Amino acid sequence: MTTLNNQKESPRALAILASFLASESAGGIVLMGAALAAIIVANSPMASLYFAALHSVWGGLSIELWINDGLMAIFFLMVGMEIKREVLAGGLASWGQRALPGFAAVGGMLIPALIYVAINRGNAETLSGWAIPAATDIAFALGVLSLLGKRVPTSLKVFLAALAILDDLGAVTIIALFYSTGLNLPMLGASFATLAVLIIMNRMGVQRLLPYLLLGLLLWFFVLQSGVHATLAGVALALCIPLGTRQEEARSPLLFLEEKMHYWVAFAVVPVFGFANAGVSLSGITLANLVDPVPLGVALGLFVGKQIGVFVAAALAIRSGLATLPEGSNWMQMYGVALLCGIGFTMSLFIGNLAFPGAPHLIDEVKVGVLIGSILSAVVGVLLLRSRLCRP
């Protein structure tokens, strides 16, 4: 893949980072509204219309599948471009920059998964949901952090964004390795052939976006039919789109596409996914249901596991000299951000759908667990940070 010759962030990359933080923060607030609307509709007289619309079929797929396999491929394309830009030219361009969010991301995925497994051990039906609490929702987390305004050091926002990006990379890897079933070898072969053409185009220096996007659409179709989850086509396409050298950044295809997609993803794709997947009927849920293995494992994994995993792993990296605290922050502020990492909305719901296909009752339990864990993480995290941040 083409790379930047200079690891320092360019003015345009910094501008994109600022735009990213702004759009993700605002997009997170819109996502909160979409999730709340979904819960209200799912528990109103319009509930039957809501669920019927999601299950209606168009073009051979239900509307819900078009959203989860189609629209979310666009989301994953954005995730892939963010990962590539940050690793090659941004805040993750050197091993020193990767150390703190890298350690924190690994700890923040491992501990929640272990908590879920401990609660669901011996239950083969629910154990496959172990990865659900391992993901952080970058839009939701930055949206909640933005509620605290300019008192939040920019370094903390960048740390949270970098951590969530690496967290997304881990989630993509988990989806590829553990949630791909019933492989169709001819279609898988066609997927690899299409990917090979994309890589060759990159190596040959093809700069026009249209050929990449057309082949990306073909790649999505092949991956959809192969048994590997179709959203991974978005990540694969992103890694093939040229970033260019420092001298070429004014016409970088990746930077151009990322800039154009920011607002569509933040204000359309992710909120639509949230509205389609957050709706859960609470009519039959009792307090006893909240301690069922799935909702309890998900909620504790997000609220307890995330804060422990992120904070302890980050502290180990700092104490060992591999990393330093984000500039202008302190340990309690770092702990507050670790709490916000327990907001696992979008990716957790997405993995929940993959973990329990054909089991709507378990998916509803996942939604309850995700909502409880995410709300607790958001509320406690904001209260702690609010008490520890200086007023501007």
Side-chain angles (χ1 to χ4, degrees):
M1 307 298 172
T2 51
T3 64
L4 288 184
N5 295 329
N6 192 334
Q7 288 185 339
K8 293 182 179 180
E9 291 184 79
S10 65
R12 186 173 180 190
L14 288 171
I16 290 178
L17 176 61
S19 173
F20 166 77
L21 291 173
S23 64
E24 290 291 349
S25 298
I29 295 172
V30 174
L31 176 59
M32 294 179 210
L36 179 61
I39 296 171
I40 292 173
V41 171
N43 292 276
S44 74
M46 294 185 291
S48 58
L49 182 61
Y50 169 79
F51 291 111
L54 288 176
H55 297 138
S56 61
V57 176
W58 182 76
L61 295 175
S62 68
I63 298 300
E64 186 175 25
L65 282 178
W66 275 115
I67 293 170
N68 292 345
D69 288 6
L71 273 185
M72 288 303 284
I74 299 174
F75 169 78
F76 275 85
L77 171 60
M78 190 72 190
V79 167
M81 290 192 294
E82 289 165 356
I83 291 170
K84 182 172 181 175
R85 171 178 52 79
E86 288 298 309
V87 170
L88 296 183
L92 300 173
S94 68
W95 287 109
Q97 291 171 304
R98 297 168 194 160
L100 184 60
F103 272 83
V106 171
M109 297 186 80
L110 182 61
I111 303 302
L114 290 177
I115 288 177
Y116 183 93
V117 169
I119 293 174
N120 287 269
R121 67 184 185 280
N123 189 334
E125 184 185 21
T126 63
L127 201 56
S128 61
W130 61 271
I132 295 170
T136 294
D137 189 309
I138 184 170
F140 228 135
L142 283 173
V144 170
L145 194 61
S146 72
L147 298 177
L148 297 169
K150 295 181 179 180
R151 289 181 290 169
V152 181
T154 302
S155 60
L156 274 182
K157 296 179 182 178
V158 173
F159 165 71
L160 177 58
L163 188 160
I165 287 170
L166 291 175
D167 195 291
D168 283 346
L169 179 60
V172 168
T173 304
I174 288 171
I175 291 168
L177 294 178
F178 299 100
Y179 294 108
S180 297
T181 57
L183 295 181
N184 182 323
L185 294 182
M187 286 296 178
L188 190 60
S191 302
F192 280 118
T194 307
L195 182 59
V197 174
L198 285 165
I199 293 172
I200 292 171
M201 286 169 52
N202 178 286
R203 294 295 187 182
M204 290 177 64
V206 176
Q207 296 291 306
R208 293 186 61 194
L209 264 174
L210 185 59
Y212 289 99
L213 296 179
L214 291 176
L215 281 173
L217 188 60
L218 190 62
L219 177 64
W220 174 82
F221 173 77
F222 288 144
V223 174
L224 176 66
Q225 301 298 321
S226 71
V228 178
H229 202 273
T231 52
L232 297 180
V235 178
L237 173 61
L239 299 181
C240 294
I241 296 175
L243 177 59
T245 64
R246 179 69 177 270
Q247 292 71 29
E248 298 169 339
E249 83 165 32
R251 52 191 177 90
S252 165
L254 186 138
L255 293 180
F256 174 82
L257 183 60
E258 185 182 3
E259 192 172 11
K260 295 301 181 184
M261 285 181 58
H262 264 317
Y263 294 101
W264 285 103
V265 172
F267 296 111
V269 173
V270 174
V272 167
F273 172 84
F275 183 75
N277 287 272
V280 56
S281 176
L282 304 176
S283 59
I285 296 176
T286 64
L287 290 177
N289 296 131
L290 300 183
V291 293
D292 285 345
V294 170
L296 184 63
V298 172
L300 290 182
L302 288 172
F303 179 57
V304 178
K306 272 290 185 181
Q307 59 173 290
I308 293 175
V310 169
F311 186 75
V312 171
L316 288 174
I318 293 169
R319 292 299 188 189
S320 65
L322 294 173
T324 58
L325 270 170
E327 185 179 356
S329 66
N330 57 44
W331 285 105
M332 288 305 294
Q333 292 169 0
M334 174 69 79
Y335 183 59
V337 170
L339 275 162
L340 294 185
C341 289
I343 303 173
F345 192 79
T346 304
M347 198 67 82
S348 292
L349 290 177
F350 185 76
I351 294 176
N353 286 325
L354 300 181
F356 304 124
H361 66 290
L362 290 179
I363 293 177
D364 282 347
E365 291 190 350
V366 168
K367 293 177 182 179
V368 172
V370 168
L371 289 171
I372 293 174
S374 297
I375 290 171
L376 285 174
S377 298
V379 171
V380 178
V382 165
L383 290 176
L384 178 61
L385 284 170
R386 187 179 180 186
S387 68
R388 295 294 173 172
L389 290 170
C390 298
R391 295 193 176 277

